Amino acid sequence: MIKLAVSGCQGRMGQRITALALKDKVFKISALLENKNRPDVPLMSSNIPVNFDDSALKGSKVLIEFTTPDATMEHLKSCQKYGVNMVIGTTGLSKAQIAQIKKASSKIAIVFSSNMSVGVNLVFSLIAKAAKVTGKNYSMRLVETHHIHKVDAPSGTAKTMAEIAEQSSKSKVKKIDSIREGEVIGDHTITFESDVDLISIRHNAKTRDIFAEGSLVAAKFLGSKKKGLFNMQDVLGL
């Protein structure tokens, strides 16, 4: 059994991760964390105490983190202190903050990915193959759409898609369009266009459960790990 902590437990992602983990016999929820400055946070959630102090992490095996960059960095320090592995799905991190995550992986095991969805990570693999074949003979463009509450743009997933495409094709993505409307969970499309055809690879998220489920797959992967930096491609063996 994996003792699992969930950060941002009252957020939309945190609630779904908690709900799905409670149905999975592999996990035991050992800690639920929240921001003490949130006035609407209950003292109990799913009959489990909600904690505002990182000391609650002590004894946990894995923390799943979908919060803000600043909160993630604070929890990163605490996880190193208490020897807790991390699944990090937080987006909008700076280069300096990503460097801190890489450094921390010498002490604890971390799965760090811009998108925890199994389907999206399959798309990443398809993009790498398509970009390698099309190379500089095709122009590449990206369009990503999310809900109006999403702060960072382009999305972390779009940035990863662009990086993979550029590395595989040895050419630049011409443009990334970011659209914020309604309550769209996540829609990403990359196109490869030549004078004679257009290839499109698209992923549409129907529910946030795809990210919650993927993060739990990553947490299981970390159950036997002691240290190192991994992504979802490693988790899924792609």
Side-chain angles (χ1 to χ4, degrees):
M1 182 174 288
I2 298 173
K3 292 184 177 181
L4 181 71
V6 180
S7 180
C9 66
Q10 291 303 292
R12 286 175 293 184
M13 277 299 301
Q15 291 186 54
R16 290 310 300 153
I17 292 166
T18 301
L20 292 173
L22 286 171
K23 296 178 181 178
D24 193 326
K25 294 181 180 179
V26 171
F27 297 108
K28 178 182 179 180
I29 301 292
S30 52
L32 295 178
L33 296 180
E34 252 305 342
N35 185 343
K36 62 183 178 181
N37 296 318
R38 283 190 60 175
D40 58 333
V41 173
L43 297 179
M44 298 285 289
S45 180
S46 301
N47 293 319
I48 303 170
V50 175
N51 297 279
F52 304 98
D53 192 302
D54 285 5
S55 61
L57 287 170
K58 190 174 182 180
S60 296
K61 179 63 179 179
V62 181
L63 169 67
I64 297 182
E65 181 80 19
F66 281 86
T67 58
T68 65
D70 288 344
T72 299
M73 291 301 102
E74 288 301 314
H75 295 149
L76 183 68
K77 294 176 184 177
S78 297
C79 282
Q80 291 178 81
K81 178 180 179 181
Y82 296 116
V84 180
N85 293 339
M86 291 186 77
V87 175
I88 301 177
T90 302
T91 59
L93 294 159
S94 68
K95 289 183 179 180
Q97 289 169 328
I98 293 173
Q100 290 182 54
I101 291 172
K102 291 179 178 179
K103 184 177 180 181
S105 69
S106 65
K107 296 181 179 179
I108 59 174
I110 300 172
V111 172
F112 175 46
S113 178
S114 61
N115 195 304
M116 294 291 169
S117 160
V118 172
V120 167
N121 280 275
L122 174 59
V123 166
F124 288 162
S125 295
L126 296 174
I127 289 171
K129 292 180 180 179
K132 185 176 181 180
V133 172
T134 57
K136 296 181 180 180
N137 297 318
Y138 286 68
S139 64
M140 301 180 293
R141 294 177 183 272
L142 269 160
V143 179
E144 58 97 353
T145 305
H146 283 84
H147 52 83
I148 58 174
H149 314 289
K150 188 170 180 61
V151 178
D152 56 311
S155 68
T157 300
K159 289 179 180 178
T160 300
M161 291 171 74
E163 289 170 3
I164 292 170
E166 290 177 347
Q167 290 172 2
S168 299
S169 67
K170 308 302 181 185
S171 59
K172 290 288 185 180
V173 170
K174 282 194 170 184
K175 190 178 182 182
I176 301 178
D177 289 318
S178 296
I179 301 169
R180 299 289 175 264
E181 61 183 21
E183 294 296 330
V184 178
I185 294 170
D187 194 349
H188 295 82
T189 302
I190 184 169
T191 57
F192 302 82
E193 186 171 9
S194 70
D195 292 337
V196 295
D197 63 359
L198 184 146
I199 303 165
S200 179
I201 299 175
R202 178 187 178 190
H203 182 273
N204 175 256
K206 294 182 178 180
T207 166
R208 286 184 179 82
D209 280 7
I210 65 168
F211 311 122
E213 290 172 354
S215 70
L216 291 174
V217 171
K220 291 175 182 177
F221 174 84
L222 290 180
S224 61
K225 299 290 187 293
K226 293 185 177 180
K227 62 181 181 180
L229 182 64
F230 308 93
N231 57 32
M232 283 301 288
Q233 303 285 304
D234 299 315
V235 172
L236 300 172
L238 294 174

